């Protein structure tokens, strides 16, 4: 089960990171298309003891895949077969856009980290919506009532001015909300100019309010709504977001997105400076992400969900976040380094902890 790190070193490490991502992602999709991932599905299915209800939704495992890996909903079925309790798709924008110029994805292998400035490259909400709708139906048929969950992450189209951001988010909301198990408003990517300015309470309040009302209207049901925040906010700013989320009765907060910080890193500082701008993810984000989780858990009501993401590489990391107050945990960057068996190993560690009588929760 540890063969993938060797494959990574031999095959992928010398390859352009974005090309390697497409190659591995397409391989997963082909495996699902031809039925090969059905073997994985049987081997990797989370134990029933891991299931939990969060935001009124039944998750087969507390561990899921963060937004960014499947930007357009093209590989939901393949990723579900690996054992993820949920797959968050996106970030999806109101209009299709190519993203930033290449190269825009960089590995920091020594740090088990990645810097990206992808820029929300995706086919747009109208094109992605049917894929999510179809995947949701197929998941129900394949897994039954305890299927993996689909989260949908939406962001601002790059060419749209900040003054028009609400209207732009509402385009995605109208297209996608009916097909989402939960909906995430992303205002924290560092790769869309000005986007993080929307994290200010006075701009965030009308945005979240409008998206929440419209999501429920088009779906004909309550769609759990979350906001995704950056790790670079001060603790005071985090407290303000927590107060706003409480005021608006949001269903949850996702903490955290990538960081613009570059400490602490093992990778040569000159190499890092040469890469330039972008969001850093992976192991170096672990400490700050955990800090943000703890601040939020103290500030928001016990029944408000927190999804913790950032620096997750093992089952022990997941258990630590759950013990610190997270309701769900997401990973992404370690998936690129560890490969498809990574998900099974984490679920296995969690199930073993449960069998020893450990509580995977702070509540």
């Amino acid at each position: 089960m540890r063969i993938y790190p060797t494959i990574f070193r031999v095959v992928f490490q010398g390859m352009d990171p974005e090309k390697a991502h497409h190659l591995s992602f397409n391989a997963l999709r082909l495996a699902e298309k031809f039925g090969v991932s059905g073997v994985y599905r049987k081997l990797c299915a989370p134990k029933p003891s891991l299931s939990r209800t969060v935001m009124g939704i039944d998750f087969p495992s507390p561990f899921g895949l963060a937004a960014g890996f499947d930007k357009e909903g093209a590989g939901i079925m393949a990723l579900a077969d690996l054992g993820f309790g949920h797959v968050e798709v996106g970030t999806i924008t109101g209009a299709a856009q190519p993203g930033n110029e290449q190269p825009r994805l960089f590995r920091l292998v020594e740090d088990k980290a990645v810097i990206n400035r992808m820029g929300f490259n995706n086919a747009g909400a109208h094109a992605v919506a049917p894929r999510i709708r179809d995947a949701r139906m197929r998941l129900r048929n394949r897994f039954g009532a305890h299927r993996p969950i689909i989260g949908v992450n939406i962001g601002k189209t790059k060419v749209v001015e900040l003054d028009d951001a609400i209207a732009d988010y509402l385009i995605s909301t109208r297209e996608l909300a009916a097909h989402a198990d939960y909906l995430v408003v992303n205002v924290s990517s560092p790769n869309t100019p000005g986007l993080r300015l929307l994290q200010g309470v006075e701009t965030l309040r009308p945005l979240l309010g409008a998206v929440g009302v419209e999501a429920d209207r088009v779906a004909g049901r309550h769609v759990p709504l979350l906001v995704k925040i950056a790790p670079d906010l001060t603790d005071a700013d985090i407290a303000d977001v927590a107060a706003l989320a409480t005021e608006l009765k949001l269903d949850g907060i996702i903490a955290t997105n990538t960081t613009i910080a570059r400490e602490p890193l093992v990778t040569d500082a000159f190499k890092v400076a040469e890469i330039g701008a972008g969001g850093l993810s992976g192991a170096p984000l672990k400490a700050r992400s955990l800090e943000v989780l703890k601040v939020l858990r103290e500030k928001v009501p016990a029944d408000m969900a927190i999804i913790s993401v950032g620096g997750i590489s093992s089952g022990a990391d997941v258990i630590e976040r759950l013990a610190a107050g997270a309701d769900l945990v997401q990973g992404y960057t370690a998936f690129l380094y560890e490969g498809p068996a990574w998900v099974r190993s984490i679920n296995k560690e969690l199930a073993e902890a449960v069998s020893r009588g450990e509580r995977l929760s702070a509540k």
Side-chain angles (χ1 to χ4, degrees):
M1 297 298 281
R2 293 289 299 165
I3 193 173
Y4 184 84
T6 301
I7 294 173
F8 173 81
R9 288 193 299 272
V10 174
V11 178
F12 293 124
Q13 189 165 324
M15 189 183 296
D16 172 76
E18 190 167 352
K19 181 180 178 181
H21 173 76
H22 288 308
L23 182 64
S24 57
F25 187 33
N26 288 336
L28 288 174
R29 292 174 61 196
L30 284 172
E32 191 276 328
K33 180 178 179 179
F34 291 106
V36 178
S37 66
V39 177
Y40 255 105
R41 184 164 65 250
K42 293 176 182 178
L43 290 173
C44 301
K47 298 290 186 184
S49 60
L50 296 184
S51 64
R52 59 176 50 202
T53 301
V54 179
M55 302 180 293
I57 304 169
D58 295 329
F59 290 77
S61 167
F63 183 63
L65 180 63
F69 189 90
D70 187 355
K71 295 178 180 295
E72 304 178 308
I76 296 171
M77 299 304 297
L79 294 164
D81 279 350
L82 297 181
F84 286 110
H86 66 278
V87 174
E88 191 171 306
V89 177
T91 297
I92 304 162
T93 52
Q97 55 184 29
N100 295 324
E101 291 184 7
Q102 298 182 12
R104 54 193 182 181
L105 184 64
F106 309 87
R107 299 189 202 94
L108 305 183
V109 177
E110 299 96 327
D111 289 286
K112 289 294 179 72
V114 164
I115 293 174
N116 92 84
R117 49 173 177 268
M118 302 299 289
F120 293 169
N121 53 304
N122 73 106
H126 182 71
V128 175
R131 300 174 192 166
I132 299 176
R133 178 198 63 211
D134 293 347
R136 200 162 176 239
M137 291 169 48
R138 290 182 63 200
L139 285 175
R140 190 178 295 114
N141 292 335
R142 179 174 290 180
F143 292 90
H146 302 290
R147 65 173 176 84
I149 299 305
I150 302 175
V152 177
N153 184 304
I154 60 174
K156 187 183 79 68
T157 306
K158 183 177 181 179
V159 297
V160 171
E161 298 294 335
L162 286 179
D163 289 345
D164 299 317
I166 292 177
D168 184 56
Y169 276 90
L170 290 181
I171 293 171
S172 299
T173 303
R174 294 186 190 105
E175 292 282 357
L176 298 164
H179 313 306
D181 290 311
Y182 70 83
L183 190 66
V184 183
V185 172
N186 185 355
V187 288
S188 50
S189 169
N191 300 317
T192 295
L195 182 71
R196 287 189 169 195
L197 296 175
L198 294 175
Q199 291 179 115
V201 169
E202 294 310 312
T203 50
L204 193 55
R205 179 182 285 107
L207 171 60
L208 293 173
V211 170
V213 169
E214 189 67 359
D216 290 358
R217 185 190 71 81
V218 298
R221 60 180 169 88
H222 176 59
V223 181
L225 181 65
L226 303 91
V227 63
K228 186 168 186 176
I229 65 172
D232 306 309
L233 294 175
T234 65
D235 287 357
D237 288 335
I238 293 167
D240 287 343
V241 172
L244 177 62
T246 303
E247 172 195 328
L248 296 177
K249 295 182 170 57
L250 290 190
D251 297 274
I253 299 173
I254 299 184
T256 61
N257 212 320
T258 58
T259 179
I260 57 174
R262 294 294 186 263
E263 295 292 341
L265 292 175
V266 176
T267 303
D268 180 73
F270 179 79
K271 177 182 176 180
V272 174
E274 207 172 35
I275 289 171
L280 174 72
S281 63
L285 191 51
K286 179 177 178 178
R288 180 55 183 163
S289 182
L290 180 58
E291 289 173 358
V292 174
L293 165 62
K294 291 177 178 178
V295 172
L296 283 173
R297 191 72 278 170
E298 289 181 356
K299 301 293 183 182
V300 301
D303 61 352
M304 183 178 291
I306 300 177
I307 302 179
S308 185
V309 55
I312 302 297
S313 62
S314 67
D317 292 334
V318 176
I319 292 168
E320 180 181 39
R321 300 299 171 93
L322 296 173
D327 296 277
L328 301 167
V329 180
Q330 295 177 340
Y332 176 4
T333 302
F335 186 32
L336 307 180
Y337 288 103
E338 300 295 331
W342 177 63
V343 191
R344 180 177 182 270
S345 69
I346 286 182
N347 281 328
K348 183 180 178 183
E349 285 186 67
L350 298 181
E352 288 172 348
V354 171
S355 69
R356 292 193 299 267
E358 297 180 27
R359 289 182 59 197
L360 301 185
S361 173
K363 297 177 183 178

